[in-house]
Amino acid sequence: MVQHQRYSQLKNGGDEEAATLVFVWTNRGYYRRRRPKILSFLLLSLLSCGFILAPHFFSFSSALSHLSDFFGVQNDGLSGDLDVNAPLCSSISNGSVCCDRSHFRSDICFMKGDIRTHSPTSSVFLYSPKNSDDNVSSTVDGDELQHEKIKPYTRKWETSIMATIDELNLISKRRNSDVDHSCDVIHDVPAVIFSTGGYTGNVYHEFNDGIIPLYITSQQFNTEVVFVILEYHDWWVMKYADILPHLSSYPPIDFNGDNRTHCFTEAITGLRIHDELTVDPILMKNNESIVDFRNLLDRAYRPRITGLIRKAQEKTSGCALATPKRMHNQPKKPKLVILSRKGSRAITNQNILVKAAEEIGFEVHVLRPEPTTELAKIYMELNSSDAMIGVHGAAMTHFLFMRPRYSVFIQVIPLGTDWAAETYYGEPARKLGLKYIGYKISRRESSLVDEYDKDDPVLTDPSSLNQKGWEYTKKIYLERQTVKLDLTRFRKRLLRAYDYITRIHLQSQHLA
């Protein structure tokens, strides 16, 4: 949705080149399916217009570089993304800084040599021997050889939020024997420097913009890496305390709050991000995928879940009225979790939905995640489920907690959220290996039908409202809409899910 709006803004503003790139990025799934024909067509088109537009827009080599990102094509001499170090900065030499700014979503810089943090000036220094050859034609500010600025956050294209992110100076300097370059803390493993600012606080952004890119960037180090965090939040570290030790064996450093000089021999500033809530194995050094990330979550939460189960069992064993055990020959009912919302995008007839699902044969659990709900408890609930139902929103990120190949994810899609529902959750869920079922509500199932005339574009043409900008989408379709499900229609999705789960269970029993 954001990319489509950005395309319209750029095109209306006359920036045809940027608009074209945003359009191709937004529709990359379509182009990948038709890569052979469309790629050749676009390349020929760029050849024909590149010479005309070059003085005003961008070089042909730059266009090819962007296309290599969009289509996943790797060409000699062009920047790609085979892993976090390749190919643009794969051959970084000792004592140098290399920044890859070729990607749509984020910048990433690499440093190698005598690296020292200096939080008072928001800087990371790389010291070269005093008599070393300059890597640049002229020095900056005396002994300064190179100066790069970077905001290490993965929403580079979104100017408004990037304006809130702290900027870091990466400075290569000559070593001056008259200046104290002593280290307070010496690390013998690399650093990965990133920000937990921006949209942190929203679970979708925490995973999409932070945790998954952190996994992508740091996986090559096999936990032998130190995380240095700008805009550090204690609550974030506590919230992801189960996951972080599986990415780094060392406590994270609060860059702004720790004035000590930390010394490293290697550092990566910024994080790689592949797509919405996913890990592309083609771009990973060891071909890890989103399933591998999900397996890491399973390892991360398993000890805590074991403790929660043991505690629950101890509590139950001490209760005089314990729940009767299931009969030996009684089949287990598929477990369905409904992620319940309050206020906007709530299912107003949820009680009837629960009864309908139970009549079909589901064991229904209603889960109401709060900002303070421990993630391990949500993981335990969804990891043991066979299906999940939820209305489009950030909480749908929890589909990552479901079991690939065995689980069904049903997303209720309110008016005006079609593109976002598919892009942010539908397609990523399929990549994880879930059975995804989208349920697009009709106009009569939306509370907006009571606010607007039946011929109002809000009801008849939501895309025209979305084109006006994110604020319209947010105000009308996200903040003022609730859903009353047509259970006659929705029951068909429940039956599809039930049949799929039953079939999977039978196959599993047969293989066992």
Side-chain angles (χ1 to χ4, degrees):
M1 185 181 299
V2 174
Q3 285 90 338
H4 282 287
Q5 293 165 1
R6 184 62 177 152
Y7 167 76
S8 300
Q9 293 169 357
L10 290 168
K11 189 170 180 63
N12 294 336
D15 195 341
E16 296 286 344
E17 172 265 326
T20 300
L21 292 178
V22 169
F23 177 82
V24 175
W25 170 263
T26 302
N27 297 280
R28 60 197 179 283
Y30 172 88
Y31 290 120
R32 281 170 180 158
R33 291 191 294 271
R34 296 156 178 81
R35 182 181 297 171
K37 293 182 180 180
I38 293 179
L39 178 58
S40 58
F41 170 77
L42 284 176
L43 289 175
L44 288 172
S45 300
L46 284 167
L47 273 170
S48 63
C49 70
F51 297 105
I52 299 172
L53 300 178
H56 304 288
F57 297 119
F58 61 103
S59 68
F60 180 61
S61 62
S62 173
L64 286 175
S65 176
H66 283 293
L67 285 173
S68 71
D69 289 340
F70 295 146
F71 292 103
V73 178
Q74 300 300 330
N75 298 287
D76 291 340
L78 299 180
S79 62
D81 203 359
L82 292 175
D83 60 60
V84 296
N85 288 327
L88 185 59
C89 296
S90 58
S91 59
I92 180 172
S93 59
N94 197 51
S96 60
V97 181
C98 179
C99 290
D100 182 355
R101 304 185 188 274
S102 65
H103 301 278
F104 177 79
R105 293 172 176 260
S106 66
D107 292 334
I108 188 166
C109 293
F110 304 85
M111 304 175 81
K112 189 174 183 180
D114 184 2
I115 301 165
R116 312 196 174 208
T117 62
H118 192 254
S119 58
T121 59
S122 297
S123 301
V124 179
F125 292 105
L126 174 63
Y127 288 104
S128 300
K130 189 172 183 178
N131 296 323
S132 64
D133 294 335
D134 291 350
N135 294 322
V136 292
S137 57
S138 61
T139 61
V140 181
D141 190 22
D143 289 336
E144 205 171 283
L145 301 173
Q146 185 178 354
H147 191 152
E148 301 285 349
K149 293 179 180 289
I150 183 172
K151 294 185 174 186
Y153 189 64
T154 54
R155 300 190 76 82
K156 163 182 163 180
W157 77 92
E158 199 167 343
T159 335
S160 58
I161 201 64
M162 289 303 288
T164 70
I165 302 298
D166 288 349
E167 188 172 62
L168 198 60
N169 299 290
L170 307 181
I171 302 171
S172 173
K173 300 184 72 173
R174 292 190 188 90
R175 178 182 293 281
N176 189 334
S177 59
D178 297 329
V179 178
D180 182 12
H181 297 290
S182 61
C183 301
D184 295 316
V185 185
I186 298 175
H187 302 271
D188 57 2
V189 297
V192 169
I193 306 171
F194 63 98
S195 171
T196 55
Y199 290 125
T200 300
N202 174 294
V203 69
Y204 163 78
H205 289 287
E206 287 169 13
F207 273 92
N208 186 71
D209 305 338
I211 294 294
I212 294 178
L214 189 59
Y215 170 85
I216 290 170
T217 308
S218 65
Q219 189 63 18
Q220 60 176 327
F221 299 117
N222 194 27
T223 75
E224 290 300 306
V225 61
V226 173
F227 296 149
V228 181
I229 305 176
L230 277 72
E231 296 158 282
Y232 181 102
H233 300 288
D234 287 324
W235 66 262
W236 183 89
V237 174
M238 291 177 63
K239 183 173 183 178
Y240 294 101
D242 292 316
I243 299 175
L244 292 177
H246 290 264
L247 299 176
S248 169
S249 298
Y250 306 88
I253 296 170
D254 177 359
F255 181 85
N256 295 317
D258 187 343
N259 288 330
R260 295 177 299 173
T261 299
H262 291 266
C263 297
F264 302 89
T265 56
E266 291 182 65
I268 298 175
T269 304
L271 302 176
R272 283 283 192 238
I273 177 172
H274 292 162
D275 208 337
E276 308 299 333
L277 294 174
T278 197
V279 178
D280 189 339
I282 296 175
L283 305 179
M284 294 294 288
K285 187 175 182 179
N286 296 314
N287 302 114
E288 295 94 345
S289 68
I290 189 62
V291 175
D292 293 297
F293 173 77
R294 200 272 176 193
N295 291 339
L296 181 144
L297 295 182
D298 200 62
R299 296 192 301 273
Y301 289 121
R302 185 59 51 195
R304 175 60 178 153
I305 289 173
T306 301
L308 290 170
I309 293 173
R310 186 183 299 113
K311 186 176 180 179
Q313 290 173 341
E314 291 172 353
K315 184 177 180 180
T316 303
S317 63
C319 179
L321 298 175
T323 304
K325 293 183 178 180
R326 187 186 303 274
M327 295 296 292
H328 179 69
N329 59 351
Q330 184 179 353
K332 180 182 178 182
K333 292 183 178 181
K335 177 181 173 182
L336 168 65
V337 174
I338 299 174
L339 282 183
S340 182
R341 293 182 62 98
K342 298 177 183 177
S344 67
R345 285 165 285 154
I347 299 175
T348 56
N349 58 343
Q350 182 174 282
N351 291 340
I352 301 175
L353 169 62
V354 170
K355 291 179 181 178
E358 289 175 340
E359 289 172 0
I360 288 172
F362 284 105
E363 176 186 318
V364 182
H365 293 224
V366 177
L367 180 62
R368 298 180 177 87
E370 300 291 342
T372 56
T373 303
E374 186 181 353
L375 283 179
K377 293 182 178 179
I378 301 175
Y379 188 92
M380 179 173 66
E381 192 72 30
L382 290 174
N383 180 60
S384 63
S385 72
D386 298 290
M388 177 181 90
I389 295 174
V391 182
H392 170 71
M396 296 303 94
T397 306
H398 294 119
F399 78 77
L400 292 167
F401 295 176
M402 303 181 77
R403 293 171 296 160
R405 302 189 306 278
Y406 296 102
S407 304
V408 179
F409 169 32
I410 304 176
Q411 181 178 203
V412 177
I413 306 170
L415 295 184
T417 65
D418 300 23
W419 182 87
E422 170 63 20
T423 302
Y424 298 136
Y425 304 111
E427 183 180 353
R430 294 189 196 96
K431 289 178 180 177
L432 181 60
L434 303 181
K435 172 68 174 177
Y436 173 72
I437 300 175
Y439 178 79
K440 181 180 177 181
I441 71 168
S442 62
R443 277 181 277 175
R444 66 177 180 273
E445 293 173 274
S446 171
S447 62
L448 296 176
V449 76
D450 298 322
E451 293 187 44
Y452 295 90
D453 183 81
K454 64 179 182 178
D455 297 321
D456 194 291
V458 168
L459 301 175
T460 62
D461 189 13
S463 61
S464 66
L465 269 294
N466 289 334
Q467 288 173 3
K468 291 185 177 182
W470 170 248
E471 288 304 316
Y472 283 86
T473 301
K474 182 180 178 183
K475 182 179 178 180
I476 297 173
Y477 296 115
L478 299 183
E479 295 182 348
R480 284 168 46 192
Q481 182 174 198
T482 59
V483 174
K484 185 178 182 180
L485 292 174
D486 178 343
L487 268 304
T488 303
R489 288 184 66 219
F490 195 76
R491 183 181 174 85
K492 296 176 183 178
R493 272 65 172 187
L494 291 173
L495 288 169
R496 280 173 58 189
Y498 187 85
D499 290 344
Y500 176 85
I501 294 163
T502 303
R503 187 168 65 253
I504 290 294
H505 283 182
L506 288 173
Q507 290 174 358
S508 299
Q509 291 171 9
H510 178 72
L511 291 173

